[in-house]
Amino acid sequence: QVIKCKAAVLWEANKPFSIEEVEVAPPKEHEVRIKIMATGICRSDDHVITGALVMPFPIILGHEAAGVVESVGQGVTSVKPGDKVIPLFVPQCGECRSCLNTKGNLCSKTDLGTSAGLMPDGTTRFTCKGKAIYHFLGTSTFTEYTVVHESAVAKIDSAAPLEKVCLIGCGFSTGYGAALQTAKVEPGSTCAVFGLGGVGLSVVMGCKAAGASRIIAVDINSDKFAKAKQLGATDCVNPKDFNKPIHEVLMEMTGGGVDYSFEVIGRTDTMTAALASCQYNYGVSVIVGVPPAAQKITFDPMLLFTGRNWKGSVFGGWKSKDAVPKLVADYMKKTFVLDPLITHTLPWTKINEGFDLLRTGK
């Protein structure tokens, strides 16, 4: 059956979301229709609104969520109606080169980088006012019901609180994994984290969990520092307090640079600064923030020639279908906390207010 429900539709760039009645088609073969119970707002959603992440319009955004399976298409075996699930914006098909490689996690079935805005079969499951509406990263969670491919959904513990574990669908896993999986932070090491939003704070938690002895939190908004310290930051630095480049400040603070640095903002200038602030011979710098479209980086290649490692990390390097249920289980065992990452809870019809809070750093 087609489901009629409410969704936040973005008709064009740089406009507010419009709450509309949409039709959600039933799941086709190997697809799953999910009732979304909770969704987070992520800067990557905002990047689509501003054009920094190019996607087709009209579109239903949202990619960090948790819900309950409403129905399944033919051939679906991994979930059944009533299961609690998290949609995966990085799927895990289990067959492509990245899925088959132990070091890989960026499944070729992902819409990240192709920006097609369609299901794997090249069609959409959403219509509104007679128009086809595009999907976002194969998830589209700013709606009461969505349809995802079976490779893009993970069954989780039925006791998990969905309004908390939805963060494991993107922000928490992305930051925590960047430290533990991508950088492989070691006990006793020194780390710098540029950007203290939800993902940056999750990097701080990952560095702490890995046993880093010093975690330097960097942000131009000093209001973020108290929470960063609560979650494990040992030092907090505001670049605005100095009249020299931030990488020089960090070099001096650490006697030659940090072992690991993380850029969790999505700006090219801070990506280069994070690289320059790690130790010149064995430092590792990880790009976690989504880079803006149509921007290039120029940097002195000597920064890399001396031995630094520059890496990227999508979804924290986790193989999504395997890792998400385990991360939820870890949360249930209190291995890590999620509450400090949740600043506001709004009814989803107030989604535009939620984005205003994001943009004002609140």
Side-chain angles (χ1 to χ4, degrees), residues 258-260 275 278-285 307-310:
V258 297
D259 298 307
Y260 300 96
L275 177 68
C278 70
Q279 208 275 348
Y280 75 100
N281 177 215
Y282 52 79
V284 175
S285 188
R308 283 184 184 89
N309 246 305
W310 211 358

Side-chain angles (χ1 to χ4, degrees), residues 28 31 54-60 88-89 91 108-127 131-140 146-149 151-152:
K28 294 188 184 178
E31 292 177 359
V54 180
M55 290 282 163
F57 292 98
I59 192 167
I60 294 174
L88 309 169
F89 73 91
S108 67
K109 290 259 193 310
T110 180
D111 192 27
L112 200 69
T114 64
S115 311
L118 299 165
M119 293 295 283
D121 72 350
T123 62
T124 166
R125 301 292 165 270
F126 299 117
T127 43
K131 286 199 176 106
I133 309 291
Y134 287 99
H135 294 248
F136 180 51
L137 302 183
T139 49
S140 287
T146 192
V147 177
V148 304
H149 191 267
S151 63

Side-chain angles (χ1 to χ4, degrees), residues 6-27:
K6 294 268 190 279
V9 177
L10 193 67
W11 291 100
E12 51 185 309
N14 295 306
K15 288 274 163 56
F17 291 92
S18 178
I19 304 289
E20 306 276 6
E21 184 177 77
V22 298
E23 288 91 46
V24 184

Side-chain angles (χ1 to χ4, degrees), residues 60-85:
I60 294 174
L61 295 177
H63 62 282
E64 177 181 275
V68 176
V69 174
E70 176 271 335
S71 59
V72 297
Q74 228 181 324
V76 172
T77 54
S78 57
V79 293
K80 61 185 187 304
D83 284 348
K84 282 192 180 178
V85 292

Side-chain angles (χ1 to χ4, degrees), residues 19 67 82 85-86 99 104-106 117 138 146 180 182 187 204 206 209 211-213 226 275 296 321 353:
I19 304 289
V85 292
I86 288 178
C99 283
N105 81 315
L106 192 55
T146 192
L180 292 173
T182 307
V204 170
S213 60
L275 177 68
K296 301 282 180 275
K321 228 173 149 89
E353 290 176 37

